Amino acid sequence: KVGRYKIDQGATTIDIHNLLVSGKQLLVRVTIPDGWTLKQMSDRFATEKVVSKAAFLDATKSPALLKKLDIPAESAEGFLYPDTYYFPENYPADKVLATMTSNFYHHLAEIYPDFKKLTPKELLDKVTLASIVEREYRVADEAPIIASVFYNRLNENMRLESCATVSYVLTDINGLPHQTRLYDKDLWVPSAYNTYRHRGLPPGPISAPGQTALHSVFYPAETDYLYFVLKNPATGRHFFSKTFAAHLM
């Protein structure tokens, strides 16, 4: 069988024959961290020679493949579970997506067993919000609180004003270098994904949410907070508040 194999020193002709017939190829270990975007994944897969960037990104936007994989969105963003995978080199893009999507739904079923009762829009909304929480929280125990803030803002018809959505627009949509700091002018960059300009959720996810972020949107904390701000970069802790005046203190 065609593929990449590891042949041990001293292997006999019969050993080599049996190895090639068995199809036990040498696999590439690829780790996708929580919060990565499709573009970041495509870079990693291309570097590891699993699949080219173009083939991977094309597959993530294929209507036929998205339908086959039960992804209720216009791209696979957010539905490819961040994890460590083992793939052969030059693996078909659709099979890479199938493996990662299957893993996503496996973990989602563990978190929320009744997820199949959700409508496609309800599922997309949950994953979209989880993708924002993923890029906002730094300490796991604050993720459900951050999720509650966003739910409260949605219920009050307030803009989410998530800096993570602005970063996504700048880097993954507009193709600019990663920003270590956002400026006031950045907050108004035109895009439906910019939650400083538009109320409600963006059109789709902005990253691959992991277990913590997904769990937080299905089981958010019960709070009346409407604001949060990073107070201690060293610890990743945020300050949460009910009023804008307290938020500014």
Side-chain angles (χ1 to χ4, degrees), residues 97-226:
L97 264 64
T99 298
M100 299 180 75
T101 305
S102 175
N103 196 22
F104 171 84
Y105 282 118
H106 169 75
H107 282 85
L108 185 61
E110 292 182 336
I111 294 169
Y112 191 74
D114 291 333
F115 81 90
K116 290 186 178 180
K117 295 181 180 179
L118 299 173
T119 66
K121 183 181 185 305
E122 288 173 335
L123 175 58
L124 178 59
D125 285 351
K126 293 289 188 185
V127 178
T128 299
L129 185 54
S131 75
I132 297 175
V133 173
E134 180 63 62
R135 297 295 291 266
E136 292 282 0
Y137 89 88
R138 298 192 183 186
V139 181
D141 62 22
E142 287 188 352
I145 305 175
I146 291 175
S148 77
V149 172
F150 288 137
Y151 276 125
N152 292 341
R153 293 181 74 90
L154 288 171
N155 291 335
E156 294 288 335
N157 197 31
M158 299 172 65
R159 289 187 292 268
L160 295 184
E161 298 186 350
S162 164
C163 292
T165 63
V166 176
S167 294
Y168 182 76
V169 173
L170 294 175
T171 59
D172 286 76
I173 296 179
N174 293 353
L176 298 176
H178 177 73
Q179 307 286 314
T180 56
R181 179 181 180 184
L182 294 177
Y183 297 92
D184 288 342
K185 64 180 179 63
D186 297 325
L187 303 182
W188 302 105
V189 59
S191 173
Y193 280 84
N194 185 349
T195 57
Y196 274 86
R197 291 179 65 103
H198 303 282
R199 286 180 167 80
L201 292 167
I206 64 167
S207 73
Q211 178 114 358
T212 297
L214 285 168
H215 193 278
S216 74
V217 301
F218 284 98
Y219 309 99
E222 294 185 11
T223 77
D224 52 6
Y225 296 137
L226 291 172

Side-chain angles (χ1 to χ4, degrees), residues 4 7 11 14 38 41 52 78 109-110 112 131 199 228 240:
R4 184 165 177 252
I7 299 176
I14 294 299
L38 293 179
M41 293 180 194
S52 71
E110 292 182 336
Y112 191 74
S131 75
R199 286 180 167 80
F228 66 91
F240 298 88

